[in-house]
């Protein structure tokens, strides 16, 4: 059985204890009925915010150590990405001040401001900067493509994306036949933009860590869901 690294196990426990990761029957945008649901918007309590920012920071440090990931600005797409970007920037500087005390954060407005300083971006300027996007999940990929386009329009270069959860789930088939092999949204964006995408947790991680808190029925249902909808990449 796979053993989760300590930071992943701590994050999974916080998500369960805080009601961020729930088990049951949940209808997704794709109309699939999922046996679990993860909502990073529920990390609004101080201890939970600390848990998720710590997990993002440790995932980023791990990615740096394993792949050489380097960046100047952390970008959080509005709205859920805004607290994630700001809190992760602070946590990185606390965990590794030598490497990260000078990094910056930015986020976008849903609508451009037409007075004062104006523009679409709040925080650090992106021109000429290496930008790391942080967000909760990638579902269809539309929001991430919009964020990448905004960053590129401002003159920044996207060097990676970090998400809280990779559902490892294939995109719906155009003809509605879910038995067909299909890629995931993460796989499509990774291939389309040639950028790395990192996740704090994957569905495999959730299943690996479920034994200590989930019922056998929950575990069985999630394993069946994974088998039915797992992506080709």
């Amino acid at each position: 059985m796979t053993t989760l690294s300590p930071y992943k196990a701590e994050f999974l426990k916080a998500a369960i204890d805080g009601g961020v990761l729930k088990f049951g029957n949940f209808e997704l945008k794709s109309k699939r009925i999922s046996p679990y649901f993860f909502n990073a918007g529920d990390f609004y309590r101080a201890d939970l915010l600390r848990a998720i920012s710590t997990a993002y920071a440790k995932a980023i440090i791990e990615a740096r150590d394993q792949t050489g990931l380097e960046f100047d600005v952390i970008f959080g797409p509005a709205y859920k990405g805004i607290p994630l970007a700001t809190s992760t920037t602070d946590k990185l500087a606390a965990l590794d001040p030598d490497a990260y005390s000078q990094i910056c954060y930015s986020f976008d407005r849903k609508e451009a401001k037409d007075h004062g300083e104006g523009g679409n971006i709040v925080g650090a300027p992106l021109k000429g900067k290496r930008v790391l996007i942080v967000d909760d999940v990638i579902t269809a990929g539309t929001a991430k493509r919009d964020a990448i386009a905004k960053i590129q329009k401002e003159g920044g270069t996207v060097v990676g994306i970090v998400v809280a959860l990779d559902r490892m789930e294939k995109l719906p088939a155009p003809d509605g036949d879910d038995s067909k092999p299909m890629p995931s949204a993460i796989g499509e964006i990774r291939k389309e933009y040639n950028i790395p995408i990192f996740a704090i947790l994957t569905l495999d991680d959730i299943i690996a860590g479920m034994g200590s808190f989930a019922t056998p029925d929950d575990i069985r249902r999630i394993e069946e869901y994974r088998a039915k909808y797992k992506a080709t990449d």
Side-chain angles (χ1 to χ4, degrees):
M1 180 178 290
T2 302
T3 301
L4 298 185
S5 61
Y7 87 87
K8 288 176 179 283
E10 290 167 7
F11 178 64
L12 180 58
K13 184 178 187 304
I16 294 293
D17 291 347
V20 178
L21 177 60
K22 304 177 179 71
F23 302 100
N25 292 293
F26 305 93
E27 183 174 320
L28 307 179
K29 288 182 180 179
S30 62
K31 301 304 179 182
R32 294 171 184 165
I33 303 301
S34 173
Y36 73 103
F37 188 72
F38 178 90
N39 181 13
D42 286 339
F43 279 96
Y44 50 73
R45 204 172 64 208
D47 59 333
L48 296 176
L49 180 62
R50 188 181 307 117
I52 194 170
S53 63
T54 299
Y56 270 106
K58 290 186 176 181
I60 290 168
I61 291 171
E62 181 178 78
R64 177 199 67 191
D65 294 344
Q66 293 180 353
T67 71
L69 177 69
E70 294 183 351
F71 57 94
D72 307 301
V73 179
I74 293 180
F75 182 88
Y79 291 103
K80 286 183 181 178
I82 295 173
L84 300 178
T86 54
S87 60
T88 299
T89 300
D90 176 70
K91 185 59 68 174
L92 277 169
L95 292 177
D96 192 344
D98 290 340
Y100 295 117
S101 62
Q102 297 299 308
I103 62 163
C104 302
Y105 70 84
S106 255
F107 56 88
D108 61 323
R109 294 186 173 96
K110 285 291 188 180
E111 297 180 0
K113 188 177 180 181
D114 59 4
H115 61 279
E117 75 279 13
N120 285 296
I121 304 299
V122 180
L126 302 179
K127 186 175 182 179
K129 301 299 183 181
R130 299 166 297 181
V131 182
L132 179 66
I133 298 173
V134 296
D135 210 354
D136 55 349
V137 296
I138 296 179
T139 305
T142 304
K144 304 304 175 289
R145 288 182 175 90
D146 289 346
I148 291 170
K150 287 182 178 180
I151 292 165
Q152 292 175 337
K153 184 177 179 181
E154 295 291 326
T157 300
V158 177
V159 296
I161 301 173
V162 184
V163 295
L165 175 65
D166 177 3
R167 292 181 60 97
M168 304 175 69
E169 189 168 325
K170 61 186 176 182
L171 292 165
D175 61 2
D177 183 1
D178 275 330
S179 67
K180 291 183 176 179
M182 291 287 291
S184 66
I186 282 181
E188 287 290 273
I189 291 178
R190 186 183 288 123
K191 181 170 60 178
E192 183 178 344
Y193 294 98
N194 192 30
I195 56 175
I197 301 177
F198 309 96
I200 300 171
L201 291 176
T202 66
L203 179 56
D204 285 346
D205 291 331
I206 291 175
I207 292 173
M210 284 181 71
S212 61
F213 57 78
T215 67
D217 186 57
D218 284 334
I219 295 172
R220 176 188 58 78
R221 293 176 65 238
I222 290 182
E223 287 178 336
E224 290 175 352
Y225 188 85
R226 176 179 62 177
K228 184 174 182 179
Y229 292 116
K230 189 168 184 178
T232 55
D233 63 6

